[in-house]
Amino acid sequence: MVQRTRPLVVRQRTLAADAMRAHLAEFGLVANPGIRNLLKLIARAFDEVEPEPGIPLAARTALSVFVRRLAELEEELRGLDKTLHAWHRQNAMSQRLATIPGIGVITATAIVATVSDIQAFRSGRQFAAWLGLVPKQNSSGDNI
């Protein structure tokens, strides 16, 4: 369930971040791509000691909704990641999978949680096809 909840929270964070970026851009405030850069821009724009000039009070009030929501979503993601990491540390199969280059904790825990019996697949290629990683089937026998 954690594996299905996490992408939903990430999607909500992306929506809130995109809205925040668009609104801040109206006042000439633009951040490089990435949530961390946006959070730095927000911190600068909403600095209590020296706030960014040119953002009217009404806009600050409206934008503060997104600021709070982004902070909540970041906290939720940290909690979900903490739960996944704790589960990963207790699961030998997940730890083995994470030793494969390109597979991290999130992918390893997702595979272990989703695939009940890896022996059901005759090969790595069959498993990749089940995952949807094989772009198309290239086999003979089609008499068209």
Side-chain angles (χ1 to χ4, degrees), residues 94-111:
S94 181
Q95 290 176 11
R96 278 184 67 196
L97 284 168
T99 64
I100 300 171
I103 295 183
V105 172
I106 293 172
T107 304
T109 56
I111 291 171

Side-chain angles (χ1 to χ4, degrees), residues 9 17 31 54 62 70 96-97 109 119 127 134:
V9 174
L70 282 169
R96 278 184 67 196
L97 284 168
T109 56
Q119 299 301 322
F127 178 64
V134 180

Side-chain angles (χ1 to χ4, degrees), residues 79-95:
L80 291 169
D81 286 345
K82 191 182 244 185
T83 301
L84 285 175
H85 279 80
W87 190 83
H88 170 74
R89 284 190 298 273
Q90 296 174 358
N91 188 290
M93 182 60 73
S94 181
Q95 290 176 11

